[in-house]
Amino acid sequence: MTENLKNNSNQVSRRSLLKKIGVLGTTGAAAATGVTLAAQVVEKSGQEFSDSLDSFFQKHYRRMSPEEVQVTIARLQRKAKRKYNKDISIDTAPPLPVTLFGYALNISKCKGYRKCVDACVEENNQGRDTQIQFIRVLEMERGSMNLEESNHYYDPETVPQKGKFYLPVQCMQCENPPCVRACPVKATWKEDDGVVVIDYDWCIGCRYCMTACPYWARHFNWNEPHVPPEELNPVTHYLGNRPRSKGVMEKCMFCVQRTRKGKQPACMEACPTGARIFGNLLDPESEIRYILENKTVFRLKEDLGTEPKFWYFTD
Amino acid sequence: MKATFSFWLDFIREAFRGGKLFYLWMTLLTVVVFLGFAAYIRQFQHGLIVSGMSDQVSWGVYISNFTFLVGVAAAAVMLVIPSYIFRDEMIKEVVLLAEGLAVAACIMCILFVTVDLGRPDRIWHMLPFVGEFNFPQSLLAWDVFVLTGYLFLSLTIPYYILFVRYKGGEPKHNVYFPGVLISIGWAISIHTVTAFLLSSNVARPFWHTAILGPRFLASAFSAGPAFFLLTLKFIRRYTDYPVSEKIFQRIAIIATVALQINLFLLFAEIFTEFYHQTDHTASALYLFFGIGGKTALVPWIWSAITMNVVAVLILSIEPLRNNSRLLSVACVLMVVGVWIEKGMGLIIPGFIPTPLGEVFEYSPTLIEVTVSAGIWAVGLIIYTLLAKAAIAIELGKVRYKKLP
Ligand code: SF4
Ligand code: SF4
């Protein structure tokens, strides 16, 4: 019915239309546009409604079938589109075979520029208002390893300072992670490549994992995180840097969206001094293996038995 | 079936029947509940940002109240232990009321954990089978499990006793006694699990000590009965339920011994921490003396210690303890003292300094305080209603009338 009216009004010239059906025609056309608009609105909000219903019932990532994963990804993309008006990709690449990721950091090279911190925020879509940073660089007194004397809020413009050294800390991807054991709903787990990940859509926000982590590596979205759309990194991974919501936990996941594609993590790429060495611990040819075998390395709080896969070394 | 139906009808009727004072009390509590609810809505909309919590201090008054109330919840059954071991008839009279308190405290515990969640809409993820319950790995999963179990026990045992009384019978000892035995073990478990929830964290040296479990038990045996004793005084004054003087003395002795042990354990801990200070002393240092001019918890902990010491003095000197008024004062001091010591004084310093050595202070916001007050009001409403109905049935005021 409305379709007919629309067609008619297109066929008949405007003038004769006004003459012939006069007010009736215009009302009809207006009504037609109104109805289509309303239908669109209904369809859109209907979609939004069914999306939010589906996200309420969304399963644990590891329990989804491949089809369910696809449906979920499509829905998450729609959600990101609504929030940021931007198309994003959400990768689900599994761990690479025979891979165990590890990191080594040369503290004699690190000068405390915090370039890694900024690159990480850009890469991983942390909320700009929530100001979450996965990496914390501590300014330490030379001659001491006492973290309580470290300065967390030094000014990167003035580094390096005399008598200080710099100690970046981030998630150590522990082999024996207390955070994973703590989680009451298995929202966080260790993948086969040794990376501890979080299903942001399964986390209930109890923050027990945060209490359990000895490296202060976990960060919580105390409010709804916002990223300016132009700054949003659209290349994401489900377990990595996809947009998060309020009330959930997040942390460094060794840039799974990059490293599972053979790329370097963003922090390593950004480091101007080359202090950071990332690699596959199972590959005897890798640089990180060379460092572990030939340099004097140490790990932070090794006595706690969490088996961090993050080493520090000096030249 | 009919009896059950009429039991519930009478139970509810009795619970809500009362004089002017009762309605005043209930109105007051309801207002507080509404205020708390409004504050919670705000928190729900804006996220936990409206709380004083941060990445540095990620648990605050909610979890503090939770740890305290776990103690109160268990206190009920603590009173059952002597009553059965020593064949102590007296305490039996008030055990039903204590169970009512346990129910209220359990519900408050569950509410406090729930309002602390970042995503309360996903709470169903904790359900076994439907969700992913990380049992037996996660201590938090254990805590949820033991708390719901305890709530169930504290509801069923009194229900059985009251229902039988209601029908004019005598509850059968060998029916409810096994239940009581189970709930004794269970009461100890809710404590132990909550203590382990904290002490299992290698990341938090302040909690990572074996003394935490025993300290939890001792403080629960003291603050719980003290709180209960205060409510009994209230009941004796405003209802015609007979509570004998002997019961007060008995509960007071339990609380006294427990508080003495609690203070001793606290002393043992302080000694170990401070005789030779290590990195691990930092939290205790912050708690008792402050670090670098940051002293938010110092007045709290010292007032808690003062309160507990005064309480233990009053309670340990018999003539003072036998003075009813002084006994009430001691109980109030003890409840508040333990509330601070085990809540604010235990949870918050665990986070200060952070594992990376940052000293970042916490103080609760108005929203957190209002939500907490609301939950306390819910608990008091539940306890009032349960106690009223139970008293009416115990006194034989309401009985099942078989229709001809
Ligand atoms: S560093 Fe912390 S968050 Fe990362 S795996 Fe270890 S315990 Fe978990
Ligand atoms: S905050 Fe999330 S990831 Fe952490 S323990 Fe709770 S549910 Fe698990």
Side-chain angles (χ1 to χ4, degrees), chain A residues 56-58 60 63 132 136 138 146-148 150 152-153 169 178 180-186 200-208 210-216 218-220 222-224 245-248 301 304 306, chain B residues 44-49 51 53-56 58-59 116-119 121-126 129-134 137-141 196-198 200-204 207 279 282 351 353-358:
Chain A
F56 179 81
F57 289 111
Q58 183 175 324
H60 190 286
R63 273 203 196 170
I132 291 178
R136 184 139 293 211
L138 309 182
N146 189 352
L147 297 174
E148 269 144 39
S150 65
H152 290 232
Y153 302 103
V169 183
V180 168
R181 231 177 308 150
C183 180
V185 294
K186 299 190 190 167
Y200 313 114
D201 292 332
W202 192 260
C203 166
I204 58 173
C206 66
R207 309 189 294 293
Y208 190 33
M210 208 172 189
T211 305
C213 171
Y215 302 98
W216 202 67
R218 296 190 156 242
H219 302 276
F220 188 67
W222 298 95
N223 58 349
E224 182 71 30
S245 61
K246 88 169 171 235
V248 303
K301 306 194 188 191
L304 300 185
T306 63
Chain B
F44 186 80
Q45 284 169 338
H46 297 268
L48 282 161
I49 188 85
S51 75
M53 292 182 277
S54 55
D55 274 2
Q56 283 84 353
S58 47
W59 279 346
D116 191 61
L117 292 183
R119 297 304 296 239
D121 52 321
R122 295 184 186 162
I123 199 164
W124 64 273
H125 292 182
M126 281 217 211
F129 308 113
V130 191
E132 279 282 355
F133 198 49
N134 191 10
Q137 289 266 308
S138 166
L139 262 307
L140 197 57
F196 286 179
L197 178 92
L198 302 174
S200 61
N201 288 298
V202 289
R204 311 281 167 185
W207 300 336
D279 280 1
F351 293 96
T354 68
L356 296 186
E358 187 185 350

Side-chain angles (χ1 to χ4, degrees), chain A residues 171-174 177-179 196 213-215 217-218 251:
Chain A
C171 174
M172 310 263 154
Q173 318 295 351
C174 308
C179 55
V196 174
C213 171
Y215 302 98
R218 296 190 156 242
K251 66 169 194 69

